[in-house]
Amino acid sequence: MGNLTTIALLSGGLDSATAAALAKESGHKVIGLSFNYGQRHRRELIAATNIAKHLELIEHQIINVNLAAWGGSSLTDMSQSLPDKGVVETTIPSTYVPGRNTVFIAIGLSLAEARNAQNVVLGINAMDYSGYPDCRPDYLEAFQNLANLSSKAGRLGEKINLWAPLIKWKKVKIIKEALRLNIPIESTWSCYSDMKSACGICDSCRIRDAALKEIGRSDLCSKK
Amino acid sequence: MGNLTTIALLSGGLDSATAAALAKESGHKVIGLSFNYGQRHRRELIAATNIAKHLELIEHQIINVNLAAWGGSSLTDMSQSLPDKGVVETTIPSTYVPGRNTVFIAIGLSLAEARNAQNVVLGINAMDYSGYPDCRPDYLEAFQNLANLSSKAGRLGEKINLWAPLIKWKKVKIIKEALRLNIPIESTWSCYSDMKSACGICDSCRIRDAALKEIGRSDLCSKK
């Protein structure tokens, strides 16, 4: 296992940090990859950089891909308001950035191929964000199939594995694993807002805070 | 058909210009999309802009996505030499940029979703560049399957169609179609080099020039 290389997509949030730490724990050489896609704030990228340092990743790439140029999401479009109902939405949320995960995973595969990496590890999970069409197991399966056909590695019989260890985990389990792996939860950034500290109101903050309270760690909540 | 919107990936080359013109001829509203991915020269983007103007596209987006940051191809890595054997390579060519088509199509799907477009039209063809793993029909099929699962549109039952009209055409047929569609062939840019005019030596120039000669239009060749 010691010779495996893994690309970890790092959003700056808790989930992707946990996924990267799991790859590290498995003995992989881990390369971080983050995206400046025109998100509302740079806090995500600062958090991603801090996590890459904390996990002592061998490399951390930050690439510009300005999906905000064509709008369509409340996460990149300042004229739309953020959801703050604190419940998991049953329709596709307004924070959905068109095709974001597909673009990010495609770029992850490009870096994996350039570095001869065997894995791309993703923090996506289908449980808490079922409203997102591109966080589901069948989506990931279809992408694996595409990856097998598209890459030089796939063609030569060495496949790049899309690895989503958290895909069926509930937030409570993710947080327990993050604590076990010594991830500095306070350094991660999951909030949708562009405030100086996490808002505690948006869906992302509320789901995270509810899980922290459930395991008796309300000291780590956005709003104490 | 008049109400259909199509995203056309424009590389600046002949093939993608022909694909875009076919969409236009079908009565679609066509939006161009080009990529500044760290290629050797800006000529491609200038050519893409000229083609977008010539075809009177309703919008033309140029997005930065610097795949050259991690190297791995002679098209983006200045330390590698370009192929000039003038034959179609049987192995994967050194000009292959890891995962480039996957990244470009993923970004095309993102724009399609943001603009409520029904199609993404691609100039890829499997005949002359069989060395590229991501220009083949099975690759495209796998991507269509992913697109159906990933997008908001797909989830709501309105699919985005990946359309590659040239995929089984030989270069001679593409050039005949381009001439029929009044594409200013001299404004397109297919050459791999970064010279002021097309080199006439690289594989891309040679394949194109051979096809032009075959139909008696050597006046349009790179080197007369």
Side-chain angles (χ1 to χ4, degrees):
Chain A
M1 292 292 273
N3 291 322
L4 292 179
T5 302
T6 293
I7 309 298
L9 269 52
L10 288 180
S11 69
L14 182 66
D15 298 358
S16 64
T18 306
L22 285 168
K24 192 86 198 295
E25 189 183 47
S26 301
H28 301 190
K29 287 184 283 184
V30 181
I31 296 168
L33 174 61
S34 302
F35 303 92
N36 183 14
Y37 64 97
Q39 53 270 68
R40 284 182 174 234
H41 47 80
R42 304 287 301 224
R43 287 294 302 262
E44 287 179 19
L45 292 174
I46 296 166
T49 304
N50 289 337
I51 292 156
K53 278 183 195 151
H54 175 81
L55 293 174
E56 298 176 338
L57 304 191
I58 59 169
E59 180 182 350
H60 183 211
Q61 291 274 354
I62 298 179
I63 188 166
N64 294 316
V65 53
N66 186 23
L67 300 180
W70 37 81
S73 166
S74 65
L75 272 195
T76 55
D77 185 347
M78 298 295 185
S79 66
Q80 293 188 37
S81 66
L82 287 165
D84 58 2
K85 294 197 297 289
V87 293
V88 176
E89 296 171 75
T90 50
T91 55
I92 293 172
S94 67
T95 50
Y96 173 72
V97 177
R100 180 176 59 174
N101 274 358
T102 309
V103 172
F104 291 180
I105 296 171
I107 295 174
L109 287 169
S110 171
L111 180 57
E113 206 171 332
R115 293 287 178 275
N116 293 312
Q118 289 76 26
N119 303 290
V120 176
V121 73
L122 309 165
I124 59 177
N125 77 89
M127 301 306 287
D128 288 317
Y129 298 99
S130 53
Y132 285 99
D134 51 4
C135 288
R136 294 170 305 171
D138 56 351
Y139 166 80
L140 205 68
E141 245 172 70
F143 219 133
Q144 182 67 62
N145 183 37
L146 177 70
N148 294 348
L149 287 168
S150 69
S151 72
K152 206 167 171 173
R155 196 160 176 256
L156 301 176
E158 291 167 22
K159 293 183 176 170
I160 299 169
N161 179 42
L162 295 177
W163 180 28
L166 287 52
I167 196 154
K168 291 181 178 175
W169 293 7
K170 289 198 171 290
K171 204 67 170 183
V172 165
K173 179 163 181 190
I174 296 172
I175 288 179
K176 281 184 183 166
E177 276 291 276
L179 290 168
R180 183 184 69 76
L181 293 158
N182 293 316
I183 290 174
I185 292 190
E186 63 289 356
S187 297
T188 65
W189 184 264
S190 301
C191 178
Y192 287 155
S193 83
D194 51 0
M195 288 155 64
K196 277 198 176 172
S197 58
C199 72
I201 298 168
C202 74
D203 287 0
S204 183
C205 279
R206 288 197 188 209
I207 291 170
R208 178 174 163 151
D209 288 352
L212 282 165
K213 276 177 197 154
E214 198 175 327
I215 60 161
R217 291 300 304 265
S218 43
D219 58 306
L220 292 169
C221 283
S222 321
K223 298 289 173 198
K224 281 144 205 170
Chain B
M1 291 292 274
N3 291 321
L4 293 179
T5 302
T6 293
I7 310 298
L9 269 52
L10 289 180
S11 69
L14 182 66
D15 298 357
S16 63
T18 306
L22 285 168
K24 192 84 198 297
E25 188 183 47
S26 301
H28 302 189
K29 287 185 283 183
V30 181
I31 297 169
L33 175 60
S34 302
F35 303 92
N36 183 13
Y37 64 97
Q39 54 269 67
R40 283 180 175 234
H41 47 80
R42 304 287 299 223
R43 286 295 300 263
E44 287 179 18
L45 292 174
I46 296 166
T49 304
N50 289 337
I51 292 156
K53 279 183 195 151
H54 175 82
L55 294 174
E56 296 175 338
L57 304 190
I58 60 170
E59 180 183 348
H60 183 212
Q61 291 274 353
I62 299 179
I63 188 166
N64 293 318
V65 53
N66 186 22
L67 300 179
W70 38 80
S73 167
S74 64
L75 272 195
T76 56
D77 185 347
M78 298 294 185
S79 66
Q80 293 188 36
S81 66
L82 286 164
D84 58 3
K85 295 197 296 291
V87 292
V88 176
E89 295 171 76
T90 51
T91 55
I92 293 172
S94 67
T95 50
Y96 172 73
V97 177
R100 180 176 61 173
N101 274 357
T102 309
V103 171
F104 291 180
I105 297 171
I107 295 174
L109 287 169
S110 171
L111 180 57
E113 206 171 332
R115 293 286 178 276
N116 293 312
Q118 290 77 26
N119 303 290
V120 176
V121 73
L122 309 165
I124 60 177
N125 76 88
M127 301 307 286
D128 289 317
Y129 297 100
S130 55
Y132 285 100
D134 51 4
C135 289
R136 293 169 306 171
D138 56 350
Y139 166 80
L140 205 68
E141 246 172 69
F143 219 133
Q144 183 66 63
N145 182 38
L146 177 70
N148 294 348
L149 287 168
S150 69
S151 72
K152 207 168 171 173
R155 197 161 176 253
L156 301 175
E158 291 167 21
K159 294 182 176 170
I160 299 169
N161 179 43
L162 294 177
W163 180 27
L166 286 52
I167 197 154
K168 291 180 177 173
W169 293 7
K170 289 201 171 287
K171 204 67 169 184
V172 165
K173 179 163 180 189
I174 295 172
I175 288 180
K176 281 183 183 166
E177 275 292 275
L179 290 168
R180 183 184 69 76
L181 292 158
N182 293 317
I183 291 175
I185 293 190
E186 63 288 356
S187 297
T188 64
W189 183 265
S190 301
C191 178
Y192 288 154
S193 83
D194 51 0
M195 287 154 67
K196 276 198 177 171
S197 57
C199 73
I201 299 168
C202 74
D203 287 0
S204 184
C205 280
R206 288 197 189 212
I207 291 170
R208 178 174 163 151
D209 288 352
L212 283 165
K213 276 177 197 155
E214 197 175 327
I215 59 162
R217 290 301 305 264
S218 43
D219 57 305
L220 292 169
C221 284
S222 319
K223 298 289 174 196
K224 283 144 203 169

